[in-house]
Amino acid sequence: MTYRELADKQGQVLSSLGSHTLRIDDLAVAQMIQLDLLFMINGFLPGGPEAAPRHLSDAVAAQCARFPSLDPHMSYELLIDVNASEWQRSGDIRVFTEGELGRLERDFYLGHHLAEPTVRSAFGLLRTLLQEPDSLDATETLGAVLRSLEEFRLYMAQYGKLTRDAFNSFRQYHMGHPGGPRGASGAFMPSVQLLELVLLAPTTEYEVYLDQSMAYFPTWSRPLITEWRGRSTQGDNVVDAVLDGRLKLNDDATATLLDVIDKFADFRMVHLGVTRKTIPEAFQPGSVVTKKGIARQTGEADILDDRNPGTSGFSVHNVLVNSVYRLLEARRSVAERGQTPTDGRVK
């Protein structure tokens, strides 16, 4: 059918439901209604900014007026967390595609939802180690962080099996229009940001990313990310605490911390590899991105470069390379401070 026919059919569906359906005073129900409305709207994205009918945007605005905490655009929280929670509750999940593509799309959403607790656990362990160092064995705690990050990396590595065509079949419905809200993207998975903030202080370029992203993180995480952004900026992070002696680690614990940083960087490199496969236009033809090459850089690149943006609207290449660069710089500082035996190589 044409977009006009689709808009008319959806209008008939909403009319048949009646306005009372959108006035249920239950936030969980309102979130699902919002998700459905935004799935309807985003189905028009390939048709351009004028394709979506006014009655859908009016319904979304009315929902936001009743529930100010609702996102007025398709967000990571709605697409991943609310959607996956409904699947866990009822076995239903919202997808844009059908058949085998629909199953791949479903697993893409569920995978993000199921992976995040592993990295959130790593954040929690590092937070406790930083704030209550005498209550924990540092080597054991950092070992548990390392295991959580390996589990997280393995989750994310599964996306390497997703073909470019399969990914782009539903990615087109996650994108935002130029000048509008940023799209629903894994760049807004909150626990990855919490882990980085508890681990090392934010750089100028990372601050730009946080400024631009705060409205797109899940609502529960925004106060927590704001808190740890402030703490980390003031030096309340693991790397700074090790460097200035507030967090005293023996050789085993220091070596394990370096392994943790390496594992976090490995995840970022896996993400880079998956991105190169699914969004090759974001990379220079024939270029090879390695840790060694990133370590030789003199700084971070502009993430607001509008060439080849990812779903989030940022330069996906620069966001991911910058994240690896920050970790490698932190690793170098810790290794030099601890004088931990190392072969000096960046893997």
Side-chain angles (χ1 to χ4, degrees):
M1 64 180 67
T2 66
Y3 283 123
R4 181 69 264 163
E5 291 169 337
L6 177 62
D8 290 343
K9 185 172 183 178
Q10 290 180 345
Q12 293 170 11
V13 169
L14 291 179
S15 297
S16 67
L17 289 173
S19 60
H20 65 279
T21 303
L22 303 183
R23 293 180 183 169
I24 298 173
D25 293 327
D26 182 302
L27 179 58
V29 175
Q31 287 176 322
M32 285 307 303
I33 292 172
Q34 191 80 333
L35 179 64
D36 283 338
L37 290 171
L38 290 167
F39 255 84
M40 295 167 98
I41 286 179
N42 279 33
F44 290 92
L45 276 174
E50 305 303 322
R54 180 65 179 270
H55 62 258
L56 286 176
S57 55
D58 287 347
V60 167
Q63 285 285 93
C64 290
R66 285 192 294 274
F67 297 91
S69 64
L70 288 179
D71 290 316
H73 51 83
M74 183 66 84
S75 63
Y76 179 94
E77 183 172 19
L78 288 169
L79 183 65
I80 304 298
D81 295 335
V82 171
N83 206 7
S85 294
E86 177 64 14
W87 179 81
Q88 291 170 323
R89 186 190 71 82
S90 68
D92 290 330
I93 192 166
R94 275 62 172 163
V95 291
F96 289 102
T97 55
E98 58 187 353
E100 180 59 24
L101 283 176
R103 287 186 285 276
L104 291 171
E105 183 183 355
R106 174 201 64 188
D107 291 348
F108 185 81
Y109 302 154
L110 292 177
H112 280 76
H113 183 73
L114 295 172
E116 184 165 11
T118 62
V119 73
R120 196 179 309 172
S121 172
F123 159 70
L125 288 166
L126 287 182
R127 176 176 58 183
T128 303
L129 179 63
L130 184 64
Q131 296 180 327
E132 304 172 31
D134 295 334
S135 68
L136 299 172
D137 180 286
T139 304
E140 289 183 2
T141 302
L142 290 166
V145 172
L146 187 62
R147 290 189 293 275
S148 292
L149 284 178
E150 173 60 10
E151 186 177 357
F152 180 63
R153 186 192 69 80
L154 290 174
Y155 265 115
M156 293 294 103
Q158 294 299 311
Y159 296 124
K161 301 176 182 178
L162 193 63
T163 68
R164 180 188 180 190
D165 287 345
F167 178 62
N168 285 324
S169 70
F170 54 84
R171 177 178 177 252
Q172 63 180 322
Y173 301 109
H174 300 166
M175 305 289 286
H177 292 301
R182 298 185 181 278
S185 169
F188 305 125
M189 179 186 279
S191 296
V192 175
Q193 316 313 323
L194 289 168
L195 178 62
E196 176 159 345
L197 289 169
V198 76
L199 189 59
L200 61 143
T203 61
T204 299
E205 200 64 36
Y206 189 49
E207 294 270 19
V208 172
Y209 165 80
L210 292 173
D211 284 339
Q212 294 280 325
S213 301
M214 193 59 68
Y216 298 94
F217 294 130
T219 50
W220 66 265
S221 70
R222 294 171 199 170
L224 197 55
I225 291 173
T226 299
E227 175 191 351
W228 277 95
R229 179 183 183 179
R231 285 176 175 271
S232 192
T233 300
Q234 297 300 316
D236 194 10
N237 61 74
V238 170
V239 169
D240 280 350
V242 169
L243 295 181
D244 65 22
R246 283 176 291 132
L247 182 59
K248 294 177 171 55
L249 303 181
N250 61 26
D251 287 350
D252 286 343
T254 301
T256 308
L257 174 58
L258 293 176
D259 288 341
V260 165
I261 296 173
D262 285 338
K263 190 63 68 176
F264 198 0
D266 285 346
F267 152 67
R268 294 295 198 182
M269 292 300 296
V270 166
H271 198 171
L272 265 167
V274 172
T275 302
R276 186 187 185 102
K277 177 180 178 181
T278 54
I279 316 177
E281 63 271 19
F283 295 77
Q284 290 292 330
S287 65
V288 178
V289 182
T290 65
K291 277 188 181 181
K292 284 185 178 180
I294 295 172
R296 288 194 294 266
Q297 293 181 185
T298 57
E300 297 179 54
D302 179 12
I303 65 168
L304 298 180
D305 185 333
D306 60 4
R307 290 172 295 179
N308 301 317
T311 309
S312 63
F314 298 118
S315 167
V316 64
H317 174 276
N318 292 352
V319 165
L320 293 174
V321 169
N322 286 355
S323 65
V324 176
Y325 177 81
R326 291 192 297 270
L327 290 166
L328 296 181
E329 285 292 287
R331 189 194 196 283
R332 179 186 57 76
S333 297
V334 172
E336 290 175 355
R337 170 67 171 77
Q339 297 181 338
T340 300
T342 176
D343 60 9
R345 292 178 295 172
V346 177
K347 294 182 285 185

